[in-house]
Amino acid sequence: MSLLLRTRQLSVRFGGLCALDGVELELGAGEILGLIGPNGAGKTTLLNVLSGFQRPTVGEVELDGRTITRWDAPRRARAGISRTFQDVRLFEEMSVQENCEVAVVGCGGRRSTARTQATQALELLDLQGSAHVLARDLPYGLQRRVGLARALCARPRVLLLDEPAAGLNDDESAAMAETVRAIHAELGCGVVVIEHDVRMILGLSHRVHVLDHGVTLRVGSPDEIRTDPDVVTAYLGEEVHA
Ligand SMILES: Nc1ncnc2c1ncn2[C@@H]1O[C@H](COP(=O)(O)OP(=O)(O)OP(=O)(O)O)[C@@H](O)[C@H]1O
């Protein structure tokens, strides 16, 4: 497995609070990496550092072996790192299509390219029928799909997903897992996905990275993670069966 993205001894402090402490995350090319842990473990902070929304206090981020720690978010997006947000953050007064085109233009793409890539992303997520609907008029489940479509428009090499199934019901969560699989198959990108739905994340991921209180508790295959005594104690509560 060739390494696509990695962190070295990453720490983030907010005043006296250590949100991340010496975290070494590795994402292989074409890998789906699950990122799990209890509330406040540092998962979103880590995604923020990877996407350039948060500067680390200490440590480095590397893409293809190149240090990108000081690159801002737009530069990382141009280099192929795309993300979604836990709270979606669409432009509510824009149509679904426009929300997607903005992502490409914002990365320096031409309008014609933006139109083509937005249309393709909407097709991939089965959202063509909603292309001209204003984002604010969509039900919540579809808004989450648009957030994902927007992240795909720039054809990322690294896709960072912050709780894509948050607030979805069981059927919608299962559909979201299928969608992430389909995106991965289509684009072949590396994916880091934060998710509290343990069954979903263990079924979806090739490997799982477990954070607890800002430190790495364990990294392993889904089978190793679901039965690991420390992970069960800190997070799962009980062994999770496939
Ligand atoms: N901008 C900030 N300023 C101060 N403290 C912060 C900031 N962002 C996060 N924190 C704190 O850092 C810790 C890690 O937060 P983070 O949101 O990364 O956890 P998380 O694992 O994503 O949690 P959750 O599962 O609840 O989303 C928490 O104690 C949080 O309150």
Side-chain angles (χ1 to χ4, degrees):
M1 177 181 80
S2 67
L3 267 186
L4 181 57
L5 189 68
R6 74 177 301 174
T7 65
R8 291 185 191 272
Q9 287 300 312
L10 203 69
S11 296
V12 173
R13 287 191 193 92
F14 296 114
L17 179 94
C18 193
L20 293 174
D21 188 5
V23 172
E24 307 240 318
L25 174 139
E26 293 186 346
L27 175 70
E31 181 181 43
I32 300 179
L33 180 72
L35 185 56
I36 66 172
N39 290 332
K43 304 179 296 295
T44 295
T45 302
L46 182 49
L47 222 68
N48 288 344
V49 172
L50 295 174
S51 54
F53 283 75
Q54 172 70 51
R55 278 277 171 90
T57 312
V58 179
E60 304 294 344
V61 181
E62 294 176 7
L63 176 68
D64 293 325
R66 189 172 175 196
T67 301
I68 62 165
T69 317
R70 300 197 170 280
W71 293 15
D72 61 15
R75 188 170 177 196
R76 291 190 203 199
R78 287 195 294 278
I81 300 178
S82 250
R83 71 166 293 173
T84 64
F85 296 90
Q86 222 174 89
D87 53 358
V88 192
R89 300 191 198 180
L90 299 179
F91 297 107
E92 298 202 334
E93 300 301 324
M94 287 185 179
S95 71
V96 167
Q97 174 90 21
E98 287 164 345
N99 263 280
C100 290
E101 290 182 12
V102 157
V104 181
V105 174
C107 286
R110 291 165 174 266
R111 290 216 58 143
S112 55
T113 310
R115 208 165 301 129
T116 309
Q117 293 186 189
T119 302
Q120 288 171 350
L122 293 178
E123 276 173 17
L124 187 58
L125 287 178
D126 210 13
L127 284 167
Q128 311 93 306
S130 304
H132 301 297
V133 177
L134 291 186
R136 67 168 151 83
D137 291 335
L138 286 178
Y140 178 72
L142 282 186
Q143 288 191 12
R144 292 210 78 90
R145 289 180 81 80
V146 175
L148 191 47
R150 185 175 58 183
L152 296 185
C153 285
R155 309 236 172 108
R157 298 173 55 224
V158 177
L159 184 59
L160 307 172
L161 304 177
D162 197 348
E163 292 198 47
L168 302 184
N169 63 35
D170 286 352
D171 288 347
E172 289 171 331
S173 286
M176 181 57 83
E178 274 316 306
T179 300
V180 174
R181 267 194 207 96
I183 290 166
H184 174 259
E186 176 75 21
L187 300 184
C189 51
V191 181
V192 180
V193 54
I194 297 176
E195 191 49 70
H196 281 289
D197 183 334
V198 172
R199 215 171 283 278
M200 173 189 168
I201 200 80
L202 295 179
L204 181 63
S205 308
H206 300 128
R207 282 188 314 130
V208 179
H209 190 124
V210 188
L211 285 178
D212 185 26
H213 291 96
V215 298
T216 298
L217 182 62
R218 201 71 77 228
V219 181
S221 70
D223 279 342
E224 289 164 342
I225 295 302
R226 78 174 94 237
T227 54
D228 185 285
D230 291 339
V231 178
V232 169
T233 303
Y235 183 52
L236 300 180
E238 57 183 35
E239 286 186 17
V240 178
H241 301 287

